[in-house]
Amino acid sequence: MYRILVCDDEEEIVSSLTACLTAEGYQAVTARTGWEVLNILSKQPIHLALLGTKLPGLDGLTTVTRLRQMYDLPVILLTSGTDSTENILGLTIGADDYITKPFQQAELLVRIRCHLRRSLHLASPSPETLTVGGITLDDDARAVTVNDEPVSLTPLEYDILKFLMQHPCKVFSPQEIYRQVWREPPAAENSVAVHIRHIREKIEVDPSNPRYVTVVWGKGYKIEAGV
């Protein structure tokens, strides 16, 4: 049974989601604060986390930053929807997805299933080493190095980079990348662009003038093979 952690500052949302998840066959684990989220993660396996951004004490975005230093589970943010900057920042620091309040539980359940399916698929990857220029991706260890220096990527950043490295020089639209990596129809409009920008910040010498992950205006992104 999948264990899903639910933490939000609105008790009604936590209660409603707990009932919904239980009815769908999941085990819901609840927390009231960001600190409690980190404590729970240290004591029991959690397969996915639903986190509000306005948590008391340690806010949701800071909680994501801290848990990403230790854990590799899907995280969906429950955001207010009034500040798009918050949504983009959440994806940038390591959240896998977000859904804005008020939301339909049916939509959230679809997103949960998609992320759990992707997570399960990645739990037993086929060993593979990909190399493009100075970038080496060891899929068996899920590790990336650039010029022999280790690079720390979030799970989605890793999956995007791997997908592009599997198809060097081929251009993919943001919608195609979203479908291949998220394994669902495109939803969040800026998700791919945000993750691409963050990947560049980690693998490029000059992210504003990238050598590896480049854009073909009006078409999409590709990774250059001859660098």
Side-chain angles (χ1 to χ4, degrees):
M1 178 183 292
Y2 287 115
R3 247 189 227 102
I4 298 179
L5 178 58
V6 183
C7 185
D8 193 80
D9 62 307
E10 299 182 47
E11 291 186 11
E12 288 185 8
I13 288 181
V14 174
S15 177
S16 176
L17 286 178
T18 298
C20 174
L21 292 170
T22 302
E24 290 293 321
Y26 299 112
Q27 180 179 347
V29 180
T30 62
R32 295 183 177 181
T33 69
W35 292 115
E36 192 174 348
V37 167
L38 298 177
N39 185 49
I40 290 172
L41 288 172
S42 71
K43 293 182 177 180
Q44 60 180 293
I46 297 294
H47 300 100
L48 183 143
L50 303 173
L51 302 181
T53 54
K54 310 297 184 184
L55 303 180
L58 193 68
D59 67 82
L61 296 182
T62 305
T63 300
V64 171
T65 301
R66 297 202 178 195
L67 74 82
R68 270 292 170 252
Q69 296 171 1
M70 299 174 283
Y71 306 107
D72 187 18
L73 75 160
V75 176
I76 300 177
L77 291 176
L78 312 176
T79 68
S80 63
T82 58
D83 184 1
S84 60
T85 302
E86 179 182 73
N87 299 336
I88 294 173
L89 180 58
L91 295 173
T92 300
I93 62 176
D96 296 278
D97 202 353
Y98 68 84
I99 190 167
T100 57
K101 304 174 186 176
F103 51 81
Q104 296 292 323
Q105 290 184 349
E107 180 184 354
L108 179 59
L109 287 172
V110 169
R111 291 175 184 244
I112 288 171
R113 284 192 288 269
C114 287
H115 284 288
L116 287 175
R117 184 167 62 245
R118 187 181 66 83
S119 179
L120 180 64
H121 173 75
L122 295 175
S124 55
S126 56
E128 183 178 14
T129 299
L130 302 172
T131 301
V132 173
I135 304 174
T136 299
L137 185 148
D138 181 350
D139 201 34
D140 194 24
R142 286 187 66 81
V144 175
T145 60
V146 178
N147 298 324
D148 297 322
E149 293 293 326
V151 174
S152 178
L153 300 177
T154 68
L156 275 175
E157 291 165 1
Y158 177 92
D159 294 342
I160 292 170
L161 181 62
K162 175 186 172 182
F163 175 66
L164 293 175
M165 289 181 69
Q166 288 174 322
H167 308 87
C169 296
K170 185 173 180 179
V171 180
F172 293 94
S173 70
Q175 293 79 11
E176 289 173 313
I177 294 173
Y178 196 104
R179 277 191 290 267
Q180 291 294 327
V181 174
W182 274 258
R183 297 180 180 274
E184 61 175 303
E189 200 171 297
N190 295 324
S191 291
V192 172
V194 170
H195 288 299
I196 291 288
R197 186 178 74 236
H198 211 45
I199 291 169
R200 285 171 171 167
E201 291 171 353
K202 295 178 178 181
I203 70 171
E204 302 281 1
V205 174
D206 181 4
S208 62
N209 185 29
R211 296 173 57 222
Y212 292 111
V213 181
T214 61
V215 63
V216 178
W217 295 107
K219 294 185 177 180
Y221 301 97
K222 67 175 179 176
I223 193 160
E224 301 287 354
V227 292

